[in-house]
Amino acid sequence: MTRKMSAGWMVLLVPFAAALWAQNADYQPDPGWQAPPQAVAKQNPLANRPAAAAGGKKLFARNCAECHGEEGSGLVKKSSADLQLPIVQTQSDGALFWKITNGNPDRGMPSFSRLPELQRWQLVLHLRTLQPARPPQ
Amino acid sequence: MHRNLKLLLIIVLFTALPAGAQEAPYFVTYDHHLEEPGNLEVETSTTMGVPRSGQRFYFAPYAEFEYGVTGRWTSELYLEGQSTSGDSAVFTGWRLENRFRPLAREHWINPVLYLECEGINEATRIQKEVVGNAPDFGERNSESSQTHAHELETKLILSSTVHDWNLAENFIVEKNLSQNEGLEFGYALGVSRPLATLASAASCRFCRENFNLGVELYGGLGSTRGFGLHDTAHYLAPVVAWQLSDNASLRFSPAIGLTHESNPALLRFGYSYEVRGFGDKLAKFFGGKP
């Protein structure tokens, strides 16, 4: 019985440990990089068009995956944010949009204001689809 | 070592990851967007001048290597040449430019400071900027290429994004350190917009979102010896950029000369290829820490 339980834990823990190893669990957000209140309150104009997230996925692969990884889990060598973390996902759409628009050039995050506004909102839609690859609690 | 460099070039070209380089289509005007840190953009462009009577048709190609040093500093090296019909082909020099973005965030107007050192000769025809009074393009290459000029050029770049339109204004001051010509002035204005603002789900080459259209206006404003529009060249130029793939783009601009001192028309073509993570790849190749 004990051996069966250990094997079960192993099945759960190995993928969990692997996911943790691949993710940038050491990511430390920049406390000075905060969206102003009016930006935080902005609503996503594409919120009622979830199909637009597919375009966001393409944009993410082009513009963001190099530093944040295909799954958005961040890369340790780039010190980039794990976008699946609650600290990111609990931010409002407006705050994420502001961060994509402005970037944080002193911490290596470029501004993506060169992308049209709707495409930046498409990126926010896609960010909402990023789910942590973790076993259920 | 030579073999290693070839290998490096092959690795860089074939392992480059896609980059979303949706850039402004301008040839002369700069906007406030800098190269992403660690990325290298290699560009080859050409300025073709359609002459007035008594002048000759010329073809001025240049190569451009743009590297994102940090999030707020981009450095660029130019190598340029020129070929004139019925004359010769000559190397016309190099330029090293640096752009600095003083403000970290996006604002209504985003300033960028530009500083360029040039080691060129009087045979240069690329016209990456138009300053001072109209140049004399009637001289033969064998004579004009003998007159060398070390120049220092500064620009104040102001650029805004308004409802997906980019508006950019450049104010140029140039000083020829080799001759006592005073300071020369010029300007460049640009406005552009992508054809579509929503990205489609499919990867496509001919989607409207891959095209960026705009128009540029640029010209000289005389010098400290005579400021103004007298005897200056000015051009109005529609511009179009086509994002061929995730990391390659084509640009084209037919410019129309607005004054008698301008060429009647300039045709500009450009092809750029962005190598993402070039800095990391280079560091790794030489055994350093990326």
Side-chain angles (χ1 to χ4, degrees):
Chain A
M1 181 65 180
T2 312
R3 189 170 288 177
K4 268 188 184 175
M5 273 187 67
S6 302
W9 276 112
M10 287 292 281
V11 167
L12 287 174
L13 284 175
V14 167
F16 177 60
L20 278 181
W21 180 80
Q23 289 176 311
N24 184 11
D26 295 334
Y27 167 65
Q28 294 294 320
D30 177 4
W33 193 36
Q34 299 291 339
Q38 68 269 29
V40 172
K42 264 191 170 178
Q43 302 292 311
N44 190 338
L46 302 174
N48 296 324
R49 294 172 64 182
K57 187 178 181 184
K58 183 174 84 173
L59 293 168
F60 186 87
R62 277 184 184 177
N63 297 287
C64 317
E66 167 71 12
C67 293
H68 292 285
E70 291 291 333
E71 305 302 322
S73 54
L75 299 176
V76 175
K77 70 169 186 175
K78 296 270 187 183
S79 305
S80 56
D82 179 347
L83 303 173
Q84 301 173 353
L85 288 176
I87 198 167
V88 176
Q89 291 292 333
T90 52
Q91 293 180 39
S92 72
D93 282 359
L96 295 175
F97 177 84
W98 183 87
K99 291 187 172 181
I100 292 168
T101 301
N102 286 278
N104 194 6
D106 295 332
R107 297 277 292 254
M109 164 78 180
S111 152
F112 286 93
S113 64
R114 67 172 191 271
L115 294 176
E117 201 171 311
L118 283 178
Q119 291 188 10
R120 280 174 268 150
W121 284 117
Q122 281 184 286
L123 278 171
V124 174
L125 277 185
H126 177 68
L127 292 188
R128 295 300 184 204
T129 68
L130 300 175
Q131 295 296 323
R134 289 175 186 170
Q137 296 291 313
Chain B
M1 186 60 190
H2 187 65
R3 200 175 149 203
N4 284 348
L5 281 173
K6 270 187 182 170
L7 188 66
L8 173 69
L9 192 65
I10 290 166
I11 289 169
V12 161
L13 289 177
F14 290 96
T15 61
L17 290 170
Q22 189 165 21
E23 292 179 358
Y26 313 127
F27 278 90
V28 175
T29 314
Y30 285 85
D31 65 14
H32 64 290
H33 300 299
L34 302 184
E35 188 59 60
E36 286 179 35
N39 285 10
L40 175 76
E41 187 176 273
V42 183
E43 181 166 338
T44 171
S45 301
T46 297
T47 305
M48 291 199 293
V50 179
R52 290 194 184 281
S53 60
Q55 296 178 332
R56 294 163 188 270
F57 179 88
Y58 61 84
F59 172 84
Y62 56 98
E64 189 180 332
F65 304 90
E66 182 181 73
Y67 183 69
V69 184
T70 71
R72 293 161 75 168
W73 172 20
T74 289
S75 197
E76 216 165 329
L77 172 71
Y78 290 83
L79 300 172
E80 54 167 276
Q82 184 254 97
S83 173
T84 302
S85 67
D87 198 344
S88 59
V90 288
F91 175 69
T92 54
W94 56 267
R95 297 159 190 250
L96 184 63
E97 75 171 45
N98 289 282
R99 279 175 285 151
F100 305 96
R101 195 173 160 171
L103 304 178
R105 304 278 178 259
E106 287 283 311
H107 298 270
W108 279 100
I109 296 176
N110 301 285
V112 174
L113 305 174
Y114 174 109
L115 182 66
E116 181 178 272
C117 301
E118 302 172 358
I120 56 175
N121 58 52
E122 295 290 329
T124 181
R125 298 282 187 277
I126 68 169
Q127 297 179 78
K128 267 295 284 177
E129 69 283 319
V130 178
V131 292
N133 297 107
D136 175 18
F137 288 158
E139 210 174 359
R140 292 193 72 82
N141 281 346
S142 53
E143 295 161 13
S144 58
S145 63
Q146 295 307 310
T147 311
H148 296 277
H150 287 284
E151 296 184 342
L152 200 62
E153 182 185 314
T154 59
K155 285 181 189 173
L156 173 63
I157 299 165
L158 301 175
S159 169
S160 314
T161 305
V162 183
H163 298 297
D164 299 324
W165 289 87
N166 174 257
L167 309 173
E169 307 90 34
N170 299 178
F171 304 97
I172 310 164
V173 180
E174 191 173 280
K175 171 69 183 155
N176 185 345
L177 303 172
S178 307
Q179 288 176 35
N180 187 17
E181 292 177 342
L183 298 172
E184 294 181 300
F185 304 104
Y187 70 93
L189 309 170
V191 55
S192 68
R193 186 184 190 277
L195 269 187
T197 55
L198 203 62
S200 56
S203 264
C204 51
R205 195 156 285 180
F206 296 99
C207 299
R208 287 169 62 218
E209 76 209 45
N210 292 338
F211 291 88
N212 204 337
L213 299 182
V215 65
E216 285 183 286
L217 179 68
Y218 47 86
L221 292 171
S223 66
T224 43
R225 293 180 171 181
F227 185 81
L229 301 176
H230 176 68
D231 189 28
T232 53
H234 300 266
Y235 294 93
L236 181 69
V239 284
V240 58
W242 177 22
Q243 194 73 41
L244 289 171
S245 70
D246 284 343
N247 49 356
S249 66
L250 267 180
R251 289 181 298 149
F252 172 63
S253 171
I256 301 153
L258 299 178
T259 60
H260 185 73
E261 289 73 20
S262 320
N263 279 136
L266 294 177
L267 298 176
R268 297 180 188 267
F269 300 89
Y271 171 80
S272 64
Y273 187 92
E274 184 153 329
V275 183
R276 180 153 274 208
F278 177 80
D280 288 349
K281 289 183 174 86
L282 198 65
K284 207 172 171 183
F285 182 78
F286 287 107
K289 200 177 166 188

